[in-house]
Amino acid sequence: MTLGHAVLCENAAILESKALKRISFDSALVPTLEALLLDVYGILRPRPIDYEQRRHLVQTFNSMVMDIFGNNNGFPVVEAFGSFIMDLFTATSDLDLSLNFSDNDMSDFPRDKKISVLKKFSRALYAHQRRGHVSGVLPILKARVPVLKVVDCGTGIECDISVENKDGISRSVFFSLVSSIDERFRILSYLMKFWAKEHGINSSKDRTMNSLSIISLVAFHLQTRNPSILPPFSVILKDGTDISRIQNITNGLKQFGRRNRESIAELFVALLGKLSSVENLWQDGLCASTYEGSWVSKTWESGAGNMNVEDFLDRSQNLARSVGKIEMQKIYRCIRGSLGNLSCFLIGQIGASKLKALLFGSMHLNIPSDQLLYSEGMKRTRGYPFSDSGASLDPITTKKARYTDRTKEPYRYETPSALPNPSIPLLPPLPSHPKNGAYHLGPPVIPFHKGYTLEYHPQYLAVSSQLVYGSQHEQQLPFAQLDYGSQHLRPRPFQLYLGSQLHQHGQNLMDHRT
């Protein structure tokens, strides 16, 4: 039987308070945890080339749909949404696209017509797949939202194309504007999404949490802090859902959370503690409402869900409806396990490198090997439809990843612009491995062999890095992934020699200062 609203919300508050009290903090270790989390965030943030590639793909698909469907007053048009528009994506994230035939949010576009459009689009993509421009063309027409999947061979980016997905676009733009209110929202969203992905609990098709429910839970957490960091979404939506009005309101809320000075570390631990504490209340109808900015008691048409996260634009919908009963147990095993690992770290039982691996894995982002050979300013030379149109693309300029707690700037990320010692010579590729190269930052020099480690010159960084491989177009191209255990270590750029081409890789590696 569902508990009363007041009783349910009171129980949630009491249980959350008890859960956080069970976590012991050594205040001396909190700055280390803060540095660790911000380091992970810095690694996850995309580079300018990642923005440029996705913008280029949107333009390319727009050219394609014009050839396939014609042009009726500028429609149809392909629009991006999801993590790219919310600026919550990584280099390996999928690109969500919506094929829209009008700008009317209320237009009727039946399911069978959407399926027909995707079938026609897929036939064109199959032709390009035979020419080697794309791969993995896969229409998934029986899904709740019919989608067409395709991978761009040049960048390795997987695109999910749907039709008239106006709801997805609206929510994406909304969250992009919410991110401007307080930067802690974006940082925590990145961390929670990647944490969930690494633990295998960020997939609606696998009946775990989708990204929208995770982001909504982060927003809800910041709404329910004392003092609150984000306002209830009802405040942002008070003048309706028109984007220009929402933007005007969010512009006036930039200082909303200034009285709350909690760090990312404190908020991250508290969020896992909040979720852990209410494990047994979901079934009673407990629901996280970002619209009201508080816990509410709610039942859906199918009864209480395994997890209840209210859709702020359609309050009759549960954003976490895909979560299954058995999968809910897996989600909570991960939450309890991570809280246990954090507790061990905060009392000094495990080190920062161990905690980082337990929370976020090895941090191997599997950057497509094509990106190793493609630096900013270089032109790609693939044929239509996935080729440069000749027009210059202006990549979105990203801000330096920087976190400020309103009183000081303890962590600053700076992108290195040059090698620490450009005079160090490069070794040629090994004759026995013509597709491989060698790093040279001083002795010892380790050639590219799977499983070997790379020793940096001790003058610059005394740390080993495991070499991993990426595959593209049946070529094995190597790249390195830093995995270091101390926030005091300072990663440096390195040189990569492939054939006759020198590529300075490492622009995305940050200069971490404490």
Side-chain angles (χ1 to χ4, degrees):
M1 182 176 179
T2 303
L3 297 176
H5 170 79
V7 174
L8 195 60
C9 295
E10 182 180 357
N11 286 348
I14 293 172
L15 290 172
E16 180 180 353
S17 178
K18 289 181 178 179
L20 292 179
K21 287 180 180 178
R22 288 194 293 268
I23 302 175
S24 300
F25 277 85
D26 181 346
S27 58
L29 291 174
V30 174
T32 304
L33 177 59
E34 180 84 350
L36 183 154
L37 294 176
L38 291 176
D39 172 54
V40 172
Y41 170 69
I43 293 173
L44 293 175
R45 286 293 292 159
R47 302 163 297 166
I49 187 177
D50 299 316
Y51 290 90
E52 181 183 356
Q53 288 175 338
R54 283 158 176 79
R55 292 178 61 181
H56 173 75
L57 283 172
V58 173
Q59 292 179 355
T60 298
F61 280 116
N62 270 299
S63 298
M64 287 186 65
V65 300
M66 185 178 297
D67 291 341
I68 298 169
F69 300 100
N71 185 354
N72 182 14
N73 295 323
F75 288 95
V77 62
V78 175
E79 297 182 65
F81 67 99
S83 61
F84 176 54
I85 295 301
M86 291 187 282
D87 198 12
L88 293 174
F89 74 102
T90 66
T92 59
S93 295
D94 296 348
L95 176 62
D96 295 311
L97 300 170
S98 176
L99 177 53
N100 301 324
F101 286 81
S102 74
D103 57 0
N104 185 358
D105 292 342
M106 305 302 294
S107 62
D108 182 28
F109 209 94
R111 179 183 176 89
D112 59 349
K113 191 174 180 181
K114 293 180 180 180
I115 291 175
S116 176
V117 167
L118 291 179
K119 285 182 177 179
K120 188 173 183 178
F121 203 175
S122 65
R123 287 193 291 270
L125 286 173
Y126 280 130
H128 294 303
Q129 181 169 259
R130 289 190 293 270
R131 300 186 188 105
H133 297 143
V134 299
S135 66
V137 177
L138 178 63
I140 305 177
L141 305 179
K142 293 184 178 180
R144 180 176 177 271
V145 177
V147 66
L148 173 59
K149 290 181 174 290
V150 61
V151 178
D152 172 42
C153 289
T155 62
I157 297 172
E158 179 177 311
C159 303
D160 293 345
I161 306 168
S162 52
V163 179
E164 291 289 331
N165 200 333
K166 302 292 180 57
D167 287 344
I169 295 173
S170 297
R171 286 163 180 76
S172 302
V173 175
F174 182 89
F175 274 119
S176 71
L177 294 175
V178 169
S179 297
S180 68
I181 297 176
D182 195 292
E183 62 187 340
R184 287 172 287 185
F185 171 68
R186 176 176 284 113
I187 298 173
L188 275 176
S189 293
Y190 259 105
L191 294 173
M192 287 300 297
K193 280 184 61 180
F194 193 72
W195 169 83
K197 180 179 179 181
E198 286 300 302
H199 286 80
I201 55 174
N202 179 202
S203 173
S204 57
K205 67 181 179 63
D206 294 331
R207 303 200 69 191
T208 57
M209 297 182 291
N210 59 35
S211 293
L212 197 57
S213 63
I214 293 173
I215 295 168
S216 296
L217 285 171
V218 172
F220 176 76
H221 180 54
L222 300 187
Q223 290 171 335
T224 53
R225 302 309 293 160
N226 185 20
S228 57
I229 297 173
L230 291 179
F233 287 171
S234 58
V235 173
I236 301 175
L237 296 167
K238 64 181 181 180
D239 293 335
T241 58
D242 180 76
I243 295 302
S244 60
R245 293 180 180 178
I246 293 175
Q247 186 169 19
N248 288 335
I249 292 173
T250 54
N251 286 339
L253 293 170
K254 296 296 178 64
Q255 300 299 315
F256 183 87
R258 66 184 182 279
R259 292 191 302 119
N260 185 304
R261 298 181 178 254
E262 289 179 284
S263 66
I264 295 298
E266 293 168 319
L267 291 169
F268 184 80
V269 174
L271 175 52
L272 290 177
K274 181 195 295 288
L275 295 176
S276 174
S277 66
V278 299
E279 178 179 3
N280 297 320
L281 295 183
W282 299 113
Q283 60 189 2
D284 293 324
L286 184 71
C287 176
S289 172
T290 52
Y291 185 84
E292 295 189 17
S294 65
W295 292 114
V296 298
S297 175
K298 192 149 190 172
T299 56
W300 317 96
E301 291 183 2
S302 58
N306 296 303
M307 180 179 285
N308 306 302
V309 182
E310 184 184 74
D311 186 337
F312 57 93
L313 289 182
D314 183 354
R315 301 185 67 192
S316 67
Q317 297 298 314
N318 179 9
L319 293 175
R321 59 182 171 269
S322 64
V323 176
K325 186 174 183 179
I326 295 176
E327 290 74 17
M328 188 70 164
Q329 297 173 11
K330 178 182 179 180
I331 290 171
Y332 268 90
R333 284 196 300 270
C334 295
I335 292 173
R336 289 191 296 270
S338 293
L339 272 175
N341 295 329
L342 284 163
S343 296
C344 290
F345 170 78
L346 290 170
I347 60 176
Q349 289 184 352
I350 62 175
S353 59
K354 178 68 173 179
L355 177 66
K356 182 180 178 182
L358 290 170
L359 291 178
F360 304 107
S362 61
M363 293 298 294
H364 288 166
L365 295 183
N366 298 321
I367 300 173
S369 58
D370 177 80
Q371 294 184 16
L372 292 176
L373 300 176
Y374 177 56
S375 60
E376 296 173 43
M378 295 172 58
K379 291 291 184 181
R380 287 166 286 187
T381 58
R382 289 174 285 138
Y384 179 83
F386 296 88
S387 64
D388 290 325
S389 62
S392 176
L393 293 176
D394 296 323
I396 299 173
T397 303
T398 57
K399 295 181 180 179
K400 294 177 181 178
R402 179 179 301 172
Y403 172 71
T404 307
D405 72 352
R406 312 290 182 186
T407 59
K408 57 183 179 179
E409 295 185 16
Y411 309 107
R412 182 185 297 269
Y413 295 87
E414 294 181 356
T415 304
S417 57
L419 288 166
N421 189 348
S423 64
I424 295 177
L426 287 169
L427 291 184
L430 295 177
S432 59
H433 297 275
K435 294 180 181 178
N436 295 339
Y439 288 107
H440 192 169
L441 290 181
V445 175
I446 306 296
F448 279 119
H449 290 282
K450 191 171 184 178
Y452 276 41
T453 57
L454 164 68
E455 292 287 338
Y456 285 78
H457 195 288
Q459 179 181 354
Y460 305 119
L461 179 63
V463 63
S464 296
S465 178
Q466 185 71 29
L467 295 183
V468 293
Y469 276 66
S471 177
Q472 186 77 21
H473 300 304
E474 300 181 353
Q475 294 182 2
Q476 295 295 325
L477 300 177
F479 63 94
Q481 176 66 47
L482 285 173
D483 187 13
Y484 51 96
S486 171
Q487 70 274 19
H488 299 293
L489 296 177
R490 303 174 66 177
R492 295 294 189 182
F494 50 83
Q495 285 185 320
L496 173 60
Y497 190 89
L498 292 173
S500 61
Q501 182 170 2
L502 167 65
H503 178 72
Q504 285 189 199
H505 189 59
Q507 293 91 339
N508 60 322
L509 303 179
M510 304 300 177
D511 184 2
H512 301 261
R513 301 177 181 178
T514 58

